[in-house]
Amino acid sequence: MPSVAAPVTAAPETPTRTATAAPTKTPPAAERVYAYVKQAVLERRYEGGMLLTEGELAEAVGVSRTPVREALLRLEVEGLMKLYPKKGAMVLPVSAQEIADVVETRLLVEEHAARKAVPASPALIAELEEQLAKMEELAASGDLAAVSVADRCFHAAIVRSAGNQILDRLYEQLRDRQLRMGVAVMHANPDRIAKNIAEHGEILRALRAGDAAAAVDAVHRHVSWVRNLAQGDVR
Protein backbone atom coordinates (compact mmCIF):
# COMPACT_ATOMS: atom_id res chain seq x y z
CA MET A 1 0.00 0.00 0.00
CA PRO A 2 1.63 3.18 -1.07
CA SER A 3 2.61 5.44 1.72
CA VAL A 4 0.91 8.74 1.85
CA ALA A 5 3.23 11.64 2.46
CA ALA A 6 2.18 13.73 5.36
CA PRO A 7 1.05 17.12 4.23
CA VAL A 8 3.70 19.75 4.64
CA THR A 9 2.42 22.45 6.89
CA ALA A 10 4.04 25.79 6.16
CA ALA A 11 5.54 27.38 9.19
CA PRO A 12 3.54 30.40 10.19
CA GLU A 13 5.14 33.52 8.95
CA THR A 14 6.65 35.67 11.61
CA PRO A 15 5.01 39.01 11.26
CA THR A 16 7.53 41.58 10.14
CA ARG A 17 7.40 45.17 11.11
CA THR A 18 7.36 47.40 8.13
CA ALA A 19 9.52 50.40 8.75
CA THR A 20 7.32 53.33 8.06
CA ALA A 21 8.43 56.87 8.40
CA ALA A 22 6.62 58.74 11.09
CA PRO A 23 4.23 61.21 9.54
CA THR A 24 5.60 64.69 9.43
CA LYS A 25 3.66 66.87 11.79
CA THR A 26 2.60 70.12 10.20
CA PRO A 27 3.35 73.11 12.44
CA PRO A 28 0.32 75.08 13.67
CA ALA A 29 -0.93 77.74 11.27
CA ALA A 30 0.20 80.66 13.44
CA GLU A 31 3.70 79.16 13.69
CA ARG A 32 3.89 78.82 9.90
CA VAL A 33 2.89 82.46 9.42
CA TYR A 34 5.36 83.59 12.09
CA ALA A 35 8.25 81.68 10.49
CA TYR A 36 7.34 82.86 6.98
CA VAL A 37 7.08 86.57 7.84
CA LYS A 38 10.09 86.59 10.16
CA GLN A 39 12.33 84.95 7.56
CA ALA A 40 11.15 87.43 4.94
CA VAL A 41 11.88 90.36 7.27
CA LEU A 42 15.33 89.06 8.23
CA GLU A 43 16.22 88.54 4.57
CA ARG A 44 14.78 91.94 3.58
CA ARG A 45 12.21 90.47 1.21
CA TYR A 46 9.89 92.54 3.38
CA GLU A 47 11.83 95.76 3.89
CA GLY A 48 11.55 98.39 6.59
CA GLY A 49 8.55 100.65 6.09
CA MET A 50 6.56 98.09 4.10
CA LEU A 51 2.91 97.70 5.15
CA LEU A 52 1.63 94.12 5.12
CA THR A 53 -2.06 93.26 5.24
CA GLU A 54 -3.55 90.23 6.98
CA GLY A 55 -5.24 89.18 3.74
CA GLU A 56 -2.01 89.19 1.74
CA LEU A 57 -0.18 87.14 4.35
CA ALA A 58 -3.06 84.71 4.79
CA GLU A 59 -3.08 84.08 1.03
CA ALA A 60 0.72 83.76 0.86
CA VAL A 61 0.86 81.09 3.58
CA GLY A 62 -2.51 79.49 2.82
CA VAL A 63 -4.23 80.07 6.15
CA SER A 64 -7.10 82.11 7.58
CA ARG A 65 -6.63 85.58 9.04
CA THR A 66 -6.85 84.47 12.68
CA PRO A 67 -3.41 82.80 12.84
CA VAL A 68 -1.97 85.76 10.90
CA ARG A 69 -3.05 88.13 13.68
CA GLU A 70 -1.51 85.84 16.29
CA ALA A 71 1.81 85.70 14.40
CA LEU A 72 1.93 89.47 13.85
CA LEU A 73 1.34 90.12 17.55
CA ARG A 74 4.31 87.90 18.34
CA LEU A 75 6.50 89.72 15.82
CA GLU A 76 5.44 93.06 17.29
CA VAL A 77 6.62 91.93 20.74
CA GLU A 78 9.99 91.04 19.17
CA GLY A 79 10.30 94.55 17.77
CA LEU A 80 10.12 93.59 14.11
CA MET A 81 6.62 94.88 13.30
CA LYS A 82 4.23 97.67 14.29
CA LEU A 83 0.55 96.76 14.13
CA TYR A 84 -2.11 99.19 12.91
CA PRO A 85 -5.68 97.99 13.60
CA LYS A 86 -7.76 97.46 10.43
CA LYS A 87 -4.78 98.46 8.27
CA GLY A 88 -2.13 95.81 8.75
CA ALA A 89 1.40 95.66 10.11
CA MET A 90 4.42 97.75 9.16
CA VAL A 91 7.92 96.27 9.06
CA LEU A 92 10.03 98.40 11.38
CA PRO A 93 13.25 99.65 9.78
CA VAL A 94 16.65 99.10 11.37
CA SER A 95 17.13 102.29 13.40
CA ALA A 96 20.27 104.22 14.28
CA GLN A 97 19.69 103.48 17.97
CA GLU A 98 19.34 99.76 17.32
CA ILE A 99 22.64 99.75 15.43
CA ALA A 100 24.40 101.64 18.23
CA ASP A 101 22.97 99.32 20.92
CA VAL A 102 23.90 96.14 19.08
CA VAL A 103 27.43 97.38 18.35
CA GLU A 104 27.99 98.30 21.99
CA THR A 105 26.77 94.89 23.21
CA ARG A 106 28.79 93.03 20.59
CA LEU A 107 31.99 94.82 21.56
CA LEU A 108 31.52 93.98 25.23
CA VAL A 109 30.90 90.29 24.53
CA GLU A 110 33.16 89.65 21.54
CA GLU A 111 36.31 91.39 22.78
CA HIS A 112 36.08 89.40 26.01
CA ALA A 113 35.50 86.17 24.07
CA ALA A 114 38.42 86.81 21.70
CA ARG A 115 40.74 87.35 24.66
CA LYS A 116 39.59 84.12 26.33
CA ALA A 117 39.77 82.14 23.06
CA VAL A 118 43.60 82.24 23.15
CA PRO A 119 45.11 79.70 22.93
CA ALA A 120 42.55 78.65 20.32
CA SER A 121 41.70 74.97 20.05
CA PRO A 122 42.16 73.14 16.73
CA ALA A 123 38.37 72.64 16.66
CA LEU A 124 37.73 76.39 16.88
CA ILE A 125 40.28 77.18 14.18
CA ALA A 126 38.74 74.55 11.89
CA GLU A 127 35.23 75.94 12.45
CA LEU A 128 36.36 79.51 11.73
CA GLU A 129 38.13 78.38 8.57
CA GLU A 130 34.95 76.61 7.44
CA GLN A 131 32.74 79.66 8.07
CA LEU A 132 35.21 81.98 6.34
CA ALA A 133 35.30 79.73 3.26
CA LYS A 134 31.50 79.61 3.29
CA MET A 135 31.31 83.40 3.42
CA GLU A 136 33.59 83.69 0.40
CA GLU A 137 31.51 81.17 -1.57
CA LEU A 138 28.18 82.79 -0.68
CA ALA A 139 29.47 86.30 -1.40
CA ALA A 140 30.50 85.15 -4.87
CA SER A 141 26.95 83.86 -5.46
CA GLY A 142 25.41 87.12 -4.24
CA ASP A 143 23.32 85.50 -1.49
CA LEU A 144 23.53 88.32 1.06
CA ALA A 145 21.15 86.72 3.56
CA ALA A 146 23.26 83.56 3.67
CA VAL A 147 26.45 85.63 3.91
CA SER A 148 24.99 87.35 6.97
CA VAL A 149 24.23 83.96 8.56
CA ALA A 150 27.78 82.70 7.96
CA ASP A 151 29.17 86.01 9.27
CA ARG A 152 27.25 85.63 12.51
CA CYS A 153 28.23 81.95 12.86
CA PHE A 154 31.90 82.96 12.63
CA HIS A 155 31.56 85.36 15.57
CA ALA A 156 29.25 83.06 17.54
CA ALA A 157 31.87 80.29 17.40
CA ILE A 158 34.40 82.57 19.12
CA VAL A 159 31.85 83.56 21.77
CA ARG A 160 31.00 79.90 22.46
CA SER A 161 34.67 79.05 22.84
CA ALA A 162 34.87 81.36 25.87
CA GLY A 163 32.86 78.77 27.80
CA ASN A 164 30.54 81.30 29.49
CA GLN A 165 26.99 80.05 29.01
CA ILE A 166 25.42 83.29 30.23
CA LEU A 167 27.34 85.36 27.67
CA ASP A 168 26.57 82.74 25.03
CA ARG A 169 22.81 83.06 25.71
CA LEU A 170 23.05 86.86 25.71
CA TYR A 171 24.79 86.75 22.34
CA GLU A 172 22.18 84.32 21.01
CA GLN A 173 19.46 86.83 21.89
CA LEU A 174 21.08 89.24 19.43
CA ARG A 175 20.83 86.69 16.63
CA ASP A 176 17.81 88.05 14.77
CA ARG A 177 18.91 91.66 15.13
CA GLN A 178 22.37 90.80 13.84
CA LEU A 179 21.08 88.84 10.86
CA ARG A 180 18.62 91.55 9.86
CA MET A 181 21.14 94.31 10.39
CA GLY A 182 23.81 92.38 8.51
CA VAL A 183 21.64 92.04 5.41
CA ALA A 184 20.63 95.72 5.62
CA VAL A 185 24.26 96.82 5.92
CA MET A 186 25.35 94.65 3.00
CA HIS A 187 22.59 96.01 0.79
CA ALA A 188 23.54 99.58 1.71
CA ASN A 189 27.29 98.95 1.42
CA PRO A 190 27.89 96.12 -1.08
CA ASP A 191 31.60 96.98 -1.33
CA ARG A 192 31.90 96.23 2.40
CA ILE A 193 31.41 92.46 1.94
CA ALA A 194 34.97 91.86 0.72
CA LYS A 195 36.29 94.00 3.56
CA ASN A 196 34.29 91.97 6.08
CA ILE A 197 35.78 88.75 4.76
CA ALA A 198 39.30 90.22 4.90
CA GLU A 199 38.78 91.32 8.51
CA HIS A 200 37.52 87.87 9.44
CA GLY A 201 40.78 86.58 8.02
CA GLU A 202 42.70 88.95 10.30
CA ILE A 203 40.82 87.68 13.36
CA LEU A 204 41.47 84.08 12.35
CA ARG A 205 45.20 84.68 11.81
CA ALA A 206 45.54 86.37 15.20
CA LEU A 207 43.80 83.47 16.95
CA ARG A 208 45.84 80.92 15.03
CA ALA A 209 49.03 82.74 16.09
CA GLY A 210 47.90 82.82 19.72
CA ASP A 211 48.06 86.63 19.83
CA ALA A 212 45.22 87.69 22.14
CA ALA A 213 45.94 91.42 21.86
CA ALA A 214 45.88 91.28 18.05
CA ALA A 215 42.67 89.23 18.08
CA VAL A 216 40.92 91.72 20.37
CA ASP A 217 42.13 94.64 18.24
CA ALA A 218 40.93 92.97 15.04
CA VAL A 219 37.51 92.27 16.57
CA HIS A 220 37.23 95.86 17.82
CA ARG A 221 38.02 97.37 14.41
CA HIS A 222 35.77 94.90 12.61
CA VAL A 223 32.70 95.51 14.78
CA SER A 224 33.20 99.23 15.43
CA TRP A 225 33.02 100.35 11.80
CA VAL A 226 29.23 99.88 11.90
CA ARG A 227 29.03 102.91 14.19
CA ASN A 228 29.33 105.22 11.19
CA LEU A 229 26.00 103.86 9.94
CA ALA A 230 24.31 104.98 13.14
CA GLN A 231 23.99 108.49 11.72
CA GLY A 232 20.71 107.45 10.13
CA ASP A 233 18.42 104.52 9.38
CA VAL A 234 19.73 101.74 7.17
CA ARG A 235 17.20 101.37 4.39
Side-chain angles (χ1 to χ4, degrees):
M1 189 172 181
S3 59
V4 178
V8 178
T9 303
E13 291 185 6
T14 302
T16 58
R17 293 182 180 178
T18 304
T20 56
T24 304
K25 193 172 182 179
T26 304
E31 187 65 33
R32 298 203 308 274
V33 178
Y34 168 81
Y36 171 83
V37 177
K38 185 170 186 175
Q39 191 69 22
V41 170
L42 294 181
E43 294 180 356
R44 279 178 61 94
R45 285 183 279 117
Y46 291 157
E47 298 193 20
M50 184 179 291
L51 186 67
L52 308 174
T53 67
E54 292 180 1
E56 291 170 341
L57 295 177
E59 183 178 353
V61 185
V63 298
S64 67
R65 295 193 180 197
T66 300
V68 171
R69 292 190 201 101
E70 185 179 335
L72 292 178
L73 284 169
R74 187 174 166 189
L75 291 164
E76 183 177 46
V77 170
E78 294 183 8
L80 294 176
M81 315 284 293
K82 173 66 176 176
L83 270 58
Y84 294 94
K86 299 182 180 180
K87 292 184 179 179
M90 186 184 76
V91 180
L92 292 176
V94 178
S95 69
Q97 187 60 52
E98 182 179 5
I99 292 173
D101 290 348
V102 170
V103 168
E104 182 177 13
T105 307
R106 286 189 62 185
L107 286 173
L108 289 170
V109 174
E110 293 189 44
E111 288 182 17
H112 171 77
R115 192 174 292 108
K116 285 197 70 177
V118 176
S121 67
L124 174 60
I125 296 300
E127 184 173 2
L128 297 180
E129 289 173 341
E130 179 184 351
Q131 292 301 333
L132 183 57
K134 188 179 295 184
M135 277 191 72
E136 293 172 338
E137 180 182 344
L138 293 169
S141 70
D143 190 341
L144 300 187
V147 170
S148 183
V149 171
D151 182 302
R152 187 197 168 277
C153 287
F154 181 96
H155 291 278
I158 298 173
V159 173
R160 277 196 313 274
S161 74
N164 187 319
Q165 293 184 1
I166 294 176
L167 283 181
D168 194 24
R169 284 196 296 270
L170 171 62
Y171 196 76
E172 183 62 28
Q173 289 172 8
L174 293 174
R175 175 184 179 276
D176 292 342
R177 293 180 184 274
Q178 286 193 56
L179 293 179
R180 183 172 176 234
M181 188 181 299
V183 177
V185 167
M186 289 177 192
H187 274 281
N189 303 267
D191 57 335
R192 179 66 203 183
I193 300 174
K195 182 68 173 172
N196 274 1
I197 292 173
E199 290 175 357
H200 279 197
E202 292 176 18
I203 297 169
L204 175 57
R205 286 191 293 275
L207 291 175
R208 193 187 284 125
D211 190 336
V216 171
D217 180 64
V219 166
H220 182 85
R221 286 184 286 105
H222 175 63
V223 176
S224 292
W225 80 272
V226 184
R227 289 184 189 275
N228 64 16
L229 298 177
Q231 305 304 315
D233 289 351
V234 179
R235 305 254 181 208

